Amino acid sequence: MKKFSTLTLVALLIATFSAHAQIQKGNVFVGGNFANLNLGLDNPSIFSVDITPKAAWFIQDNLAVGGYVNLGLKTQKNSATTTNYGVGALGRYYTGKDVEVLRHGRFFAEGTVGFGGVNVSKGGGKTNGLNLGVGPGFAYFITPNIGLETMLKYNGLLGFGNATTQNNLNLSFGLQIYLPGSGTANKVKRDAGL
């Protein structure tokens, strides 16, 4: 019986901690965004996808810094193939509870800077160089540690190649998992007297 009550107490503490600690200092988020997903159901010769895995650490409440990797591919029968890629740093700031629209949702702004490129086969334009992005987003926490998000982001690519600049506006959807950092987990244990 004592074992059951201890497990119940630990589960309650974790649930309580998780419900309020997604974006606190010391925590981390990992996940990714998906954009331009097209499987060509009407025209099976088209396929496109853009995937951006991300990871960041909260250096203070509501403010995270980390990195991202981007890989995109668009193919179509009898047409050029477009490949885009990127790697770099990201910063994200979440609004406070005072501007909370939904009970479990938060607005955020994200900025990225890194190296990237867009290359089009069959003599198409190529641009490789400095990749900059900025845009607003919204994260809705479906559980205390899992957030679904959408983001509208401007991406600019400045560099060298056949075309020296490329710009686009991108709507993406993603999933992030928020994990407690060791400092936060230790604080919960201390507060619980464990």
Side-chain angles (χ1 to χ4, degrees), residues 184-194:
T184 306
N186 290 337
K187 182 182 182 315
V188 169
K189 287 180 184 176
R190 282 192 309 272
D191 291 349
L194 298 175

Side-chain angles (χ1 to χ4, degrees), residues 19-51:
H20 303 289
Q22 300 102 324
I23 55 178
Q24 289 182 349
K25 181 179 178 178
N27 294 347
V28 232
F29 77 75
V30 293
N33 289 63
F34 301 95
N36 304 326
L37 182 60
N38 183 349
L39 301 177
L41 297 177
D42 291 334
N43 185 354
S45 64
I46 296 174
F47 173 78
S48 69
V49 66
D50 196 341
I51 301 171

Side-chain angles (χ1 to χ4, degrees), residues 14-24 27 61 97 103 106 144-145 184:
I14 289 172
T16 301
F17 157 74
S18 298
H20 303 289
Q22 300 102 324
I23 55 178
Q24 289 182 349
N27 294 347
D61 290 358
K97 279 188 127 354
R103 186 169 179 221
R106 292 284 179 96
N145 294 73
T184 306

Side-chain angles (χ1 to χ4, degrees), residues 33-36 54 92 107-112 132-139 149-156 168-174:
N33 289 63
F34 301 95
N36 304 326
K54 301 175 181 183
R92 188 180 274 195
F107 284 104
F108 63 86
E110 181 177 286
T112 55
L132 302 168
V134 65
F138 182 76
E149 62 185 42
T150 185
M151 183 169 40
L152 182 63
K153 191 171 181 183
Y154 164 79
N155 289 303
N168 65 49
L169 194 58
N170 194 358
L171 178 64
S172 64
F173 300 92

Side-chain angles (χ1 to χ4, degrees), residues 82-85 116-120 124-129 157 163 166 168:
T82 303
T83 306
N84 60 296
Y85 62 89
V118 176
N119 299 315
V120 182
K126 297 181 189 315
T127 304
N128 300 291
L157 184 59
Q166 290 199 21
N168 65 49

